[in-house]
Amino acid sequence: YVLLGLTASRENKIAEAEQLFRKASRLEPGNYRTLSYIGSTCLQQGRAGEAAVLFTRVLQIQPGNPVAHYNLGLIDLAKGNAAGAKRHFDAVTAAAPGDIPARIGALESNLILKNHAAARTTARELDALLPPESPDRMRAAALLGGYGEYQDAVPILRKIPSNSPDAASAQFDLALALFRLKAYDQAATALAPALAKPAHADALSLLGDIEDARNHGAEALSAYRQATEV
């Protein structure tokens, strides 16, 4: 039943997979892996309450189970319980320091809780762990920028290579972060690659803001006008 359930899950037949996992669980009620599979299918179907009960049961059988902790972290985060989410994500990273999704979950929890020092530490750890081309760099930087932690977003964005699919977005976000930090000359330099291509209105508008901040009135007006014409 478990193998059939995993096959159904891979084929995105989540309701069918759940029923197969439940059949397996009835044959072996204390199997934490099967309970975890059922919890995952419940979560995928939007039944977070049932999933939480199942993952809590997994932790009773196998304390410290990282899958259960991670999913309970996601559930707590969705409920607005950032403190509870942080405890679960921290439990995962304590057992598996290289777990990127849990570190990103911990970063978001710390940002919500305004634990600035902890958020900064997690951001630096992510910067060290993430390959330059990882799409998780954009996710981490977006979280930091969304909570005004631009100083920590900058090094994460700087390492995204120019040939990455995220390069254009990274260049804009880097320029915006530097602008927010009042590093106007650096912001202009970071924005330049985006302006070398057919520029989006957002990039031209940001250029206008940068030039205005540098007291380049004519250049600012020109950029704003171009932004309205794109």
Side-chain angles (χ1 to χ4, degrees), residues 126-146:
L126 282 166
D127 187 32
L129 285 167
L130 288 169
E133 68 281 1
S134 171
D136 286 321
R137 281 191 172 274
M138 284 298 293
R139 186 178 172 197
L143 282 170
L144 289 161

Side-chain angles (χ1 to χ4, degrees), residues 1-6 8-9 13-27 34 37-42 45 47 50 54:
Y1 288 121
V2 170
L3 291 175
L4 290 171
L6 291 170
S9 183
K13 299 174 182 176
I14 306 303
E16 180 182 330
E18 179 189 350
Q19 294 310 310
L20 289 164
F21 291 140
R22 287 191 182 278
K23 287 180 179 179
S25 187
R26 284 194 287 272
L27 295 173
T34 307
Y37 292 146
I38 300 169
S40 294
T41 60
C42 289
Q45 295 174 90
R47 291 167 15 227
E50 289 181 57
L54 287 157

Side-chain angles (χ1 to χ4, degrees), residues 154 158 173-184 186-187 190:
V154 165
R158 282 196 190 279
D173 289 354
L174 175 59
L176 179 60
L178 290 164
F179 173 75
R180 299 294 189 201
L181 293 167
K182 300 184 179 181
Y184 302 127
Q186 292 183 55

Side-chain angles (χ1 to χ4, degrees), residues 110-195:
N110 283 316
L111 289 168
I112 292 170
L113 294 166
K114 299 182 180 179
N115 290 340
H116 300 293
R120 177 160 295 173
T121 297
T122 305
R124 289 172 178 169
E125 290 167 346
L126 282 166
D127 187 32
L129 285 167
L130 288 169
E133 68 281 1
S134 171
D136 286 321
R137 281 191 172 274
M138 284 298 293
R139 186 178 172 197
L143 282 170
L144 289 161
Y147 284 90
E149 302 291 342
Y150 302 111
Q151 189 70 44
D152 296 314
V154 165
I156 291 174
L157 290 165
R158 282 196 190 279
K159 289 184 182 175
I160 296 175
S162 59
N163 61 350
S164 164
D166 293 322
S169 296
Q171 289 159 354
F172 179 84
D173 289 354
L174 175 59
L176 179 60
L178 290 164
F179 173 75
R180 299 294 189 201
L181 293 167
K182 300 184 179 181
Y184 302 127
D185 291 345
Q186 292 183 55
T189 300
L191 192 60
L195 297 170

Side-chain angles (χ1 to χ4, degrees), residues 71-122:
N71 282 290
L72 286 168
L74 292 179
I75 292 167
D76 275 344
L77 207 54
K79 291 193 302 184
N81 180 9
K86 181 182 182 303
R87 286 193 295 272
H88 287 298
F89 292 135
D90 285 348
V92 179
T93 58
D99 192 294
I100 300 301
R103 284 198 180 276
I104 290 177
L107 175 63
E108 185 172 2
S109 302
N110 283 316
L111 289 168
I112 292 170
L113 294 166
K114 299 182 180 179
N115 290 340
H116 300 293
R120 177 160 295 173
T121 297
T122 305

